[in-house]
Structures are given as C-alpha cells and as structure tokens.
Amino acid sequence: MTVHFIGAGPGAADLLTLRAVSMISRSQVCLYAGTYIDAEILSHCPDGVELIDTQHLDLDKITEHLLTAHRRGHHTARLCSGDPSLYSALAEQTRRLDRLDIPWDVTPGVPAYAAAAAAVGRELTVPEIAQTVILTRTQAASTAMPETESLSYLARAKATLVLHLAIRRTRELAAELSVSYGADCPVVVVADATKKSEQILRGTLADIADMVEAAGLRQAAVILVGEALGAGDFTESHLYGSRAR
C-alpha cells in the first residue's frame, strides 16, 4: 500500500487542503510529529486509526513503522508540518522507501512562511524594493550548510529573507544580518502561525533579539527580514497598470 506524505500546514486544522483531509480520513496508520501537529488536525483521522508520534523517533524507527504498515496492507499518512518541500526530511525518508519498494506520493500543504506573511498582512515581494524571497535556515545542532549558502553571503542580495529553524539564534543572526541590511531593517517574527497560541513580534535587526528573548520563543517560529516588511511608499507594479496590451 502507499505512504502518503501530507503537508499538514502551519497549524490551523482548517488550512489543510481538501486532498489532505481526504487522504487523512482514509488512512489506517498516521505518523505525525507531536511537537507541531495537534489533536485538531488529527481529528480528521478515522476511528480505529493507529497513531504514531514521531517526535522522539529516529529515521530507522520511523522507517520500521512505515514498513510494518506496508506489509499489513495499510494506507499510511505521514504528516509533515507546513509543506513537505521544506525541511521535512522528505528526501531521506523516500530514499529509504524506494530501497524497500514501498510506493509513496506527496500532497503539498500551506508553508509556514506563507502563513507568517498572511498573519502580518504583508506581501514579501514589493515592486522595486524586493522581488526575490530567500528561504533558508541556519546551522546549530544540525547538518552543515553548504559553503555557498552562508547567511552573510545570502544577505548581500538584500532580498526578503525567511529564516526557518533559527529562533534560538536570533541575537547572533541579527548581528550578522545587520552588516548587509542595516540595523534599522524591519524584522517580523511569527511563532505558532495560525494557532491560538500565535505570537507576532515586529521590530528591527537592532531590537528583535530582545523581543524574542522577552517572549521566551524557542521553537515553531519563522523570522522574516527585509525592507518589504516595512514598505509604505513604493512604485506600483505593471500587473494592473494602464498600458498598451
């Protein structure tokens, strides 16, 4: 049977896609990370589903559960927070499934950065200010970043920067980014986007670290950096402008 990797969205259960809900509701086994996915999302599972919280499992144990479900002929939902295309360990899990000849597919979800931008009512691409969005993370207790993707190198573009998995290093990152963006560059931090516990912090690279530490944020937060976040006076795009067609 098939393992369905499903984007569970940023948090709110009603931000699941119709396809995601349909697949979850037909699953016989559901693996999810309890750190990010709550009971409201899991309420879409059918009665009798086998629920497996993966937050304390390594990749070998997760693969064992997927293999067991496959051998039993069970359709399996593998829920990923946000969208599976970003920091979901999709590649390493599907590589193992391919070796075991277990079929799988992917259903996209609402990514956390999109939910964060929506929460603050901001477009991340503003005409003549920022037309590029860089999605990245930083290295702490994690795999190394490629040499060509250092934060200082990426910051030179002065594009809108979205930092995942970085909230515990906010002070260090703000100091590093200030070199290219300037200390007064707007910053928005959104924690638990779309959940009842959502928190939004607005500041600059000069003061955002103090705000994050005062709020006690430690996980499930996205950091948005760039002039687009504070843009008030900007040139309108050609999308809806009057021009010859």
Side-chain angles (χ1 to χ4, degrees):
M1 306 300 275
T2 302
V3 175
H4 304 289
F5 290 89
I6 300 170
D14 60 354
L15 279 177
L16 287 166
T17 65
L18 294 174
R19 182 185 298 178
V21 171
S22 175
M23 287 187 168
I24 294 171
S25 66
R26 290 184 284 114
S27 64
Q28 295 157 291
V29 178
C30 179
L31 283 78
Y32 68 98
T35 309
Y36 301 104
I37 295 171
D38 59 22
E40 192 174 2
I41 291 177
L42 296 177
S43 68
H44 292 294
C45 292
D47 294 337
V49 68
E50 180 183 359
L51 293 174
I52 300 169
D53 188 348
T54 63
Q55 63 177 308
H56 300 303
L57 302 181
D58 61 21
L59 189 56
D60 288 334
K61 290 294 184 182
I62 292 171
T63 304
E64 284 180 19
H65 283 295
L66 297 176
L67 178 58
T68 298
H70 174 69
R71 286 174 173 170
R72 291 175 178 172
H74 292 165
H75 282 296
T76 303
R78 176 65 172 114
L79 301 186
C80 310
S81 60
D83 181 79
S85 67
L86 290 174
Y87 308 119
S88 67
L90 175 69
E92 55 206 81
Q93 293 177 79
T94 56
R95 178 171 61 183
R96 291 189 176 213
L97 295 182
D98 287 340
R99 290 170 180 166
L100 295 168
D101 290 324
I102 298 175
W104 54 271
D105 57 30
V106 181
T107 295
V110 175
Y113 79 88
V120 297
R122 281 292 178 177
E123 182 180 2
L124 302 182
T125 54
V126 176
E128 297 188 5
I129 293 179
Q131 293 289 280
T132 300
V133 178
I134 297 175
L135 310 175
T136 190
R137 66 167 181 84
T138 63
Q139 181 183 356
S142 58
T143 52
M145 295 291 289
E147 292 183 6
T148 56
E149 294 181 17
S150 68
L151 197 57
S152 58
Y153 179 81
L154 296 177
R156 294 175 192 171
K158 295 187 178 180
T160 302
L161 186 67
V162 179
L163 284 162
H164 294 77
L165 310 172
I167 196 64
R168 299 188 185 191
R169 300 184 62 216
T170 303
R171 186 170 298 280
E172 177 184 345
L173 300 175
E176 185 174 357
L177 292 173
S178 293
V179 175
S180 293
Y181 285 92
D184 60 349
C185 180
V187 181
V188 176
V189 172
V190 182
D192 291 336
T194 76
K195 291 186 176 181
K196 294 178 181 178
S197 55
E198 178 182 274
Q199 294 185 65
I200 299 174
L201 306 178
R202 295 178 174 87
T204 66
L205 287 172
D207 59 18
I208 195 64
D210 290 336
M211 299 170 69
V212 166
E213 291 171 6
L217 301 184
R218 300 288 293 170
Q219 65 181 26
V222 175
I223 305 172
L224 310 175
V225 182
E227 295 298 336
L229 299 169
D233 184 18
F234 56 88
T235 301
E236 292 189 348
S237 69
H238 288 278
L239 183 60
Y240 299 113
S242 298
R243 64 187 188 280
R245 296 181 183 274

